[in-house]
Amino acid sequence: MSMIRLFSVALLVVTLASAVRADDKVITSEKAQAHQCVCRACYVNFTKEFGVPLEFLGSLGHSIHDARLAPDPAGLAICSRSLAVAEQVSGKKASVTSDEVMSDAIRLAKLRGVSTELEAVKLMVSDDAVKKELTEAIEDAKVREEEAKQDAEAIAKGEQTKQLFGRLTVYNQCGECVRVYAGGRYLGVVHEGQAACFHVHNHDYHTELEAYCVEEGHLVSADCSEGHRHSYTWYIR
């Protein structure tokens, strides 16, 4: 093999190696920036991270995990308050913080649009601006709940309903097993390469769809369906 050919091969190998390293950096960056679900709290040893002998810390991680998977916004808000107490007593922050849990509780409460949940979360929020947002959300939720009541009566009479969502078909074409949520409500798990159908009721104009990785807890994909629909197909890639 000539020296020129050897040099060309060596240059190609170096170029490919550099490209792989560049790709690795991009992938790492994307994972680092991905939204992390607070259900990962079940892996956190809060007693060790805070360094204080508070008994409730022993089960707090699992309480956060269970409330997020349910999902239970009010339960998450309660867990956030417990975390805040531990933060004040210890003067430290754990790898999952009270602000992070409360933020997720507020977001889920708004997505689900249940007036009683919104009111419960509002009672545990100290920020006046957020309280105002929740007050408005409560009023909107009560309107939707009245519409839902009317729909139930219409169904009983055999009339057409006003529901914004009916059949949701999910095709999981990504490389991860995912938990699927619609409007902040847990629907189920869709494994890699599989499809699943769910029946969804949502009286909000916007139906937020989210898919979280079962294993690592990060947000894999998100979508939004708007308007009156009785069927929707979502491809998760």
Side-chain angles (χ1 to χ4, degrees), residues 89-106:
V89 171
S90 66
K92 300 177 182 178
K93 295 278 188 180
S95 51
V96 174
T97 68
S98 61
D99 288 343
E100 186 179 0
V101 176
M102 181 60 79
S103 177
D104 218 11
I106 294 169

Side-chain angles (χ1 to χ4, degrees), residues 107-126:
R107 186 183 67 85
L108 281 173
K110 289 180 178 179
L111 275 178
R112 289 168 60 81
V114 179
S115 61
T116 51
E117 291 180 349
L118 287 161
E119 288 174 351
V121 172
K122 178 186 172 183
L123 289 173
M124 291 178 273
V125 170
S126 57

Side-chain angles (χ1 to χ4, degrees), residues 31-106:
K31 285 187 176 181
Q33 294 175 5
H35 172 66
Q36 293 292 314
C37 179
V38 295
C39 67
R40 72 186 191 281
C42 63
Y43 299 110
V44 178
N45 187 335
F46 286 106
T47 301
K48 181 178 180 180
E49 293 196 12
F50 283 122
V52 291
L54 296 172
E55 291 296 328
F56 71 85
L57 291 177
S59 59
L60 185 57
H62 289 285
S63 296
I64 294 172
H65 175 270
D66 293 343
R68 180 59 184 84
L69 286 186
D72 177 7
L76 274 180
I78 292 171
C79 291
S80 172
R81 294 291 293 269
S82 297
L83 263 181
V85 169
E87 289 169 352
Q88 292 177 24
V89 171
S90 66
K92 300 177 182 178
K93 295 278 188 180
S95 51
V96 174
T97 68
S98 61
D99 288 343
E100 186 179 0
V101 176
M102 181 60 79
S103 177
D104 218 11
I106 294 169

Side-chain angles (χ1 to χ4, degrees), residues 4-208:
I4 295 177
R5 187 175 180 184
L6 281 172
F7 177 76
S8 299
V9 171
L11 181 61
L12 177 61
V13 170
V14 171
T15 302
L16 289 174
S18 299
V20 171
R21 285 195 295 272
D23 288 343
D24 287 343
K25 290 180 181 178
V26 172
I27 293 172
T28 302
S29 175
E30 287 176 355
K31 285 187 176 181
Q33 294 175 5
H35 172 66
Q36 293 292 314
C37 179
V38 295
C39 67
R40 72 186 191 281
C42 63
Y43 299 110
V44 178
N45 187 335
F46 286 106
T47 301
K48 181 178 180 180
E49 293 196 12
F50 283 122
V52 291
L54 296 172
E55 291 296 328
F56 71 85
L57 291 177
S59 59
L60 185 57
H62 289 285
S63 296
I64 294 172
H65 175 270
D66 293 343
R68 180 59 184 84
L69 286 186
D72 177 7
L76 274 180
I78 292 171
C79 291
S80 172
R81 294 291 293 269
S82 297
L83 263 181
V85 169
E87 289 169 352
Q88 292 177 24
V89 171
S90 66
K92 300 177 182 178
K93 295 278 188 180
S95 51
V96 174
T97 68
S98 61
D99 288 343
E100 186 179 0
V101 176
M102 181 60 79
S103 177
D104 218 11
I106 294 169
R107 186 183 67 85
L108 281 173
K110 289 180 178 179
L111 275 178
R112 289 168 60 81
V114 179
S115 61
T116 51
E117 291 180 349
L118 287 161
E119 288 174 351
V121 172
K122 178 186 172 183
L123 289 173
M124 291 178 273
V125 170
S126 57
D127 187 282
D128 290 337
V130 176
K131 281 187 175 182
K132 183 179 179 180
E133 291 177 2
L134 290 173
T135 298
E136 294 173 353
I138 290 168
E139 294 173 356
D140 292 339
K142 288 181 177 179
V143 171
R144 290 193 298 271
E145 287 165 358
E146 179 60 30
E147 291 177 351
K149 181 180 178 181
Q150 293 174 4
D151 277 354
E153 294 173 353
I155 291 174
K157 297 177 182 178
E159 299 174 0
Q160 187 176 7
T161 71
K162 298 178 181 178
Q163 69 179 46
L164 303 186
F165 226 91
R167 181 186 178 91
L168 171 65
T169 304
V170 179
Y171 290 93
N172 184 2
Q173 298 177 345
C174 72
E176 300 171 286
C177 178
V178 298
R179 298 193 315 273
V180 178
Y181 294 83
R185 291 168 173 79
Y186 175 68
L187 299 180
V189 171
V190 184
H191 294 280
E192 175 187 355
Q194 295 186 4
C197 293
F198 305 99
H199 191 72
V200 181
H201 284 280
N202 186 25
H203 290 266
D204 196 354
Y205 185 81
H206 303 276
T207 301
E208 298 286 344

